[in-house]
Coordinates of all heavy atoms in Angstrom, one line a residue:
M1 N 0.9 -1.2 0.0 CA 0.0 -0.1 0.0 C 0.9 1.3 0.1 O 1.7 1.4 0.8 CB -0.9 0.0 1.3 CG -1.9 1.2 1.4 SD -2.9 1.1 2.8 CE -3.7 -0.5 2.6
D2 N 0.6 2.1 -0.9 CA 1.4 3.3 -1.0 C 1.0 4.3 0.1 O 0.1 4.2 0.9 CB 1.3 4.0 -2.3 CG -0.1 4.5 -2.6 OD1 -0.8 4.8 -1.8 OD2 -0.4 4.7 -3.9
L3 N 1.9 5.4 0.3 CA 1.8 6.3 1.4 C 0.5 7.0 1.3 O 0.0 7.3 2.5 CB 3.1 7.2 1.3 CG 3.0 8.4 2.4 CD1 3.2 7.7 3.7 CD2 4.3 9.3 2.2
T4 N 0.0 7.4 0.2 CA -1.3 8.0 0.2 C -2.4 7.3 0.8 O -3.1 7.8 1.6 CB -1.6 8.5 -1.2 OG1 -0.5 9.2 -1.9 CG2 -2.9 9.3 -1.3
R5 N -2.5 6.0 0.5 CA -3.5 5.1 1.1 C -3.3 5.0 2.6 O -4.3 5.0 3.3 CB -3.4 3.7 0.4 CG -3.8 3.8 -1.2 CD -3.8 2.4 -1.7 NE -4.7 1.4 -1.0 CZ -4.8 0.2 -1.3 NH1 -4.0 -0.4 -2.0 NH2 -5.7 -0.6 -0.6
R6 N -2.1 4.8 3.0 CA -1.8 4.7 4.4 C -2.2 6.0 5.2 O -2.7 6.0 6.2 CB -0.3 4.4 4.7 CG 0.1 3.0 4.3 CD 1.3 2.6 4.8 NE 2.5 3.3 4.3 CZ 3.4 4.0 5.0 NH1 3.3 4.2 6.3 NH2 4.3 4.7 4.4
L7 N -2.0 7.2 4.5 CA -2.3 8.4 5.0 C -3.8 8.6 5.2 O -4.2 9.1 6.2 CB -1.8 9.5 4.1 CG -2.0 10.9 4.4 CD1 -1.4 11.3 5.6 CD2 -1.6 11.9 3.2
L8 N -4.5 8.2 4.1 CA -6.0 8.3 4.2 C -6.6 7.4 5.2 O -7.6 7.7 5.9 CB -6.6 8.0 2.9 CG -6.3 9.1 1.8 CD1 -7.1 8.8 0.5 CD2 -6.5 10.5 2.2
E9 N -6.0 6.2 5.3 CA -6.5 5.2 6.3 C -6.3 5.7 7.7 O -7.1 5.6 8.6 CB -5.8 3.8 6.1 CG -6.3 3.0 5.1 CD -5.8 1.6 5.2 OE1 -4.7 1.3 5.7 OE2 -6.6 0.7 4.7
Y10 N -5.2 6.3 8.0 CA -4.8 6.8 9.4 C -5.8 7.9 9.7 O -6.4 7.9 10.8 CB -3.3 7.4 9.4 CG -3.0 7.6 10.9 CD1 -2.5 6.6 11.7 CD2 -3.2 8.8 11.5 CE1 -2.2 6.9 13.0 CE2 -2.9 9.1 12.7 CZ -2.3 8.1 13.6 OH -1.9 8.3 14.8
V11 N -6.1 8.8 8.8 CA -6.9 10.0 9.1 C -8.4 9.4 9.3 O -9.1 9.8 10.2 CB -6.9 11.0 8.0 CG1 -8.0 12.0 8.1 CG2 -5.6 11.7 7.8
R12 N -8.8 8.4 8.4 CA -10.1 7.8 8.6 C -10.3 7.3 10.0 O -11.4 7.3 10.6 CB -10.3 6.8 7.5 CG -11.7 6.1 7.6 CD -11.7 4.9 6.7 NE -11.0 3.8 7.2 CZ -11.1 2.5 6.7 NH1 -12.1 2.2 5.9 NH2 -10.4 1.5 7.2
E13 N -9.3 6.6 10.4 CA -9.4 5.9 11.8 C -9.2 6.8 13.0 O -9.5 6.4 14.1 CB -8.4 4.8 11.8 CG -8.6 3.6 10.8 CD -7.5 2.6 10.7 OE1 -6.6 2.8 11.4 OE2 -7.7 1.6 10.0
H14 N -8.6 8.0 12.8 CA -8.3 8.9 13.9 C -8.9 10.3 13.8 O -8.5 11.2 14.6 CB -6.8 8.9 14.1 CG -6.1 7.6 14.4 ND1 -5.7 6.8 13.3 CD2 -5.9 7.0 15.5 CE1 -5.1 5.7 14.0 NE2 -5.3 5.7 15.2
F15 N -9.8 10.5 12.9 CA -10.3 11.8 12.6 C -11.1 12.4 13.9 O -11.2 13.7 14.0 CB -11.2 11.9 11.5 CG -12.5 11.3 11.6 CD1 -13.6 12.1 11.9 CD2 -12.7 9.9 11.4 CE1 -14.9 11.5 12.1 CE2 -13.9 9.3 11.5 CZ -15.0 10.1 11.9
Q16 N -11.6 11.5 14.7 CA -12.3 11.9 16.0 C -11.4 12.4 17.0 O -12.0 13.0 18.1 CB -13.3 10.9 16.3 CG -14.3 10.6 15.3 CD -15.2 9.2 15.6 OE1 -14.6 8.2 15.4 NE2 -16.3 9.4 16.1
Q17 N -10.2 12.1 16.9 CA -9.3 12.5 17.9 C -8.5 13.8 17.6 O -8.5 14.2 16.4 CB -8.2 11.3 18.1 CG -8.8 10.0 18.4 CD -7.8 8.8 18.2 OE1 -6.6 9.1 18.1 NE2 -8.3 7.6 18.2
P18 N -7.9 14.4 18.5 CA -6.9 15.6 18.2 C -5.9 15.0 17.3 O -5.1 14.2 17.5 CB -6.4 16.1 19.5 CG -7.4 15.4 20.6 CD -7.9 14.3 20.0
L19 N -5.8 15.7 16.1 CA -4.9 15.2 15.1 C -4.2 16.4 14.4 O -4.8 17.4 14.0 CB -5.7 14.5 13.9 CG -4.9 13.6 13.0 CD1 -4.1 12.6 13.8 CD2 -5.9 12.9 12.0
T20 N -2.8 16.4 14.4 CA -2.0 17.3 13.8 C -1.2 16.8 12.7 O -0.9 15.5 12.7 CB -1.2 18.1 14.8 OG1 -0.3 17.1 15.3 CG2 -2.0 18.7 16.0
L21 N -0.6 17.6 11.9 CA 0.3 17.1 10.9 C 1.5 16.5 11.4 O 2.2 15.5 11.0 CB 0.7 18.3 9.8 CG 1.4 17.8 8.5 CD1 0.5 16.9 7.7 CD2 1.8 19.1 7.8
D22 N 2.1 17.1 12.6 CA 3.2 16.6 13.3 C 3.0 15.1 13.7 O 3.8 14.3 13.7 CB 3.7 17.4 14.5 CG 4.2 18.8 14.0 OD1 5.0 18.8 13.1 OD2 3.9 19.9 14.6
R23 N 1.8 15.0 14.4 CA 1.4 13.7 14.8 C 1.3 12.7 13.8 O 1.8 11.5 13.8 CB 0.1 13.6 15.6 CG -0.3 12.3 16.0 CD -1.8 12.3 16.7 NE -2.3 11.0 16.9 CZ -3.5 10.7 17.3 NH1 -4.3 11.7 17.7 NH2 -3.9 9.4 17.4
L24 N 0.7 13.1 12.6 CA 0.6 12.2 11.4 C 2.0 11.8 11.0 O 2.1 10.6 10.6 CB -0.3 12.9 10.5 CG -0.9 12.1 9.2 CD1 -1.9 11.1 9.8 CD2 -1.6 13.1 8.4
A25 N 2.8 12.8 10.8 CA 4.2 12.5 10.3 C 4.9 11.5 11.2 O 5.6 10.5 10.8 CB 5.0 13.7 10.2
A26 N 4.7 11.7 12.6 CA 5.4 10.8 13.5 C 4.9 9.4 13.4 O 5.6 8.4 13.4 CB 5.2 11.4 14.9
E27 N 3.6 9.2 13.3 CA 2.9 7.9 13.2 C 3.2 7.2 11.9 O 3.6 5.9 12.0 CB 1.4 8.0 13.4 CG 0.9 8.6 14.7 CD 1.1 7.4 15.8 OE1 1.3 6.3 15.4 OE2 1.1 7.9 17.0
L28 N 3.5 7.9 10.9 CA 3.7 7.3 9.6 C 5.2 7.3 9.3 O 5.7 6.7 8.3 CB 3.0 8.0 8.4 CG 1.5 7.9 8.5 CD1 0.8 8.7 7.4 CD2 1.0 6.5 8.6
H29 N 6.0 7.9 10.2 CA 7.5 7.9 10.0 C 7.9 8.6 8.6 O 8.7 8.1 7.9 CB 8.1 6.6 10.1 CG 7.7 5.7 11.3 ND1 8.1 6.1 12.6 CD2 6.8 4.8 11.5 CE1 7.6 5.3 13.4 NE2 6.8 4.5 12.8
V30 N 7.2 9.7 8.5 CA 7.4 10.5 7.2 C 7.6 12.0 7.6 O 7.0 12.5 8.5 CB 6.3 10.2 6.2 CG1 6.5 11.1 5.0 CG2 6.1 8.8 5.9
N31 N 8.4 12.6 6.8 CA 8.7 14.1 7.0 C 7.3 14.8 6.9 O 6.7 14.6 5.9 CB 9.8 14.6 6.1 CG 10.1 16.1 6.3 OD1 9.3 16.8 5.9 ND2 11.2 16.4 6.9
K32 N 7.1 15.8 7.8 CA 5.6 16.5 7.7 C 5.6 17.3 6.5 O 4.6 17.5 5.9 CB 5.5 17.2 8.9 CG 6.3 18.5 9.2 CD 5.8 19.3 10.3 CE 6.5 20.6 10.5 NZ 6.0 21.3 11.7
Y33 N 6.8 17.8 6.0 CA 6.7 18.6 4.8 C 6.4 17.8 3.6 O 5.7 18.3 2.6 CB 8.0 19.5 4.7 CG 8.3 20.3 5.8 CD1 9.3 20.0 6.7 CD2 7.6 21.5 5.9 CE1 9.5 20.9 7.9 CE2 7.8 22.3 7.0 CZ 8.7 22.0 8.0 OH 8.9 22.9 9.0
Y34 N 6.9 16.6 3.6 CA 6.6 15.6 2.4 C 5.1 15.4 2.5 O 4.4 15.3 1.4 CB 7.4 14.4 2.6 CG 7.2 13.5 1.3 CD1 7.5 13.9 0.1 CD2 6.6 12.2 1.6 CE1 7.3 13.1 -1.1 CE2 6.4 11.4 0.4 CZ 6.7 11.8 -0.8 OH 6.5 10.9 -1.9
L35 N 4.5 15.1 3.7 CA 3.1 14.9 3.8 C 2.3 16.1 3.3 O 1.3 15.9 2.7 CB 2.8 14.6 5.3 CG 3.1 13.1 5.8 CD1 2.6 13.0 7.2 CD2 2.6 12.1 5.0
S36 N 2.8 17.2 3.7 CA 2.1 18.4 3.3 C 2.0 18.5 1.7 O 1.0 18.8 1.1 CB 2.8 19.7 3.9 OG 2.1 20.8 3.4
H37 N 3.1 18.1 1.1 CA 3.2 18.0 -0.4 C 2.2 17.1 -0.9 O 1.6 17.3 -2.0 CB 4.6 17.7 -0.7 CG 4.8 17.6 -2.3 ND1 4.7 18.6 -3.2 CD2 5.0 16.5 -2.9 CE1 4.9 18.1 -4.4 NE2 5.0 16.8 -4.3
I38 N 2.0 16.0 -0.3 CA 1.1 14.9 -0.7 C -0.4 15.5 -0.7 O -1.1 15.3 -1.6 CB 1.2 13.6 0.1 CG1 2.5 12.9 -0.3 CG2 0.0 12.8 -0.2 CD1 2.6 11.6 0.6

């Protein structure tokens, strides 16, 4: 599964919780600026 799919899955499963780009990057082990680019 590519990074975009993992990204959408994570947001889908955690959207009801406090969620930031920093947390998302840490959980997916990806630079937050690269996530922002996606």
Side-chain angles (χ1 to χ4, degrees):
M1 184 181 298
D2 63 23
L3 179 58
T4 304
R5 292 181 62 188
R6 291 194 290 123
L7 177 61
L8 296 186
E9 280 197 328
Y10 191 88
V11 174
R12 181 189 71 161
E13 294 174 358
H14 299 89
F15 73 95
Q16 294 166 290
Q17 305 168 14
L19 196 56
T20 65
L21 193 61
D22 287 322
R23 174 184 168 185
L24 198 57
E27 292 291 340
L28 297 179
H29 308 290
V30 178
N31 183 283
K32 73 173 183 178
Y33 298 106
Y34 183 64
L35 285 185
S36 180
H37 175 68
I38 289 178

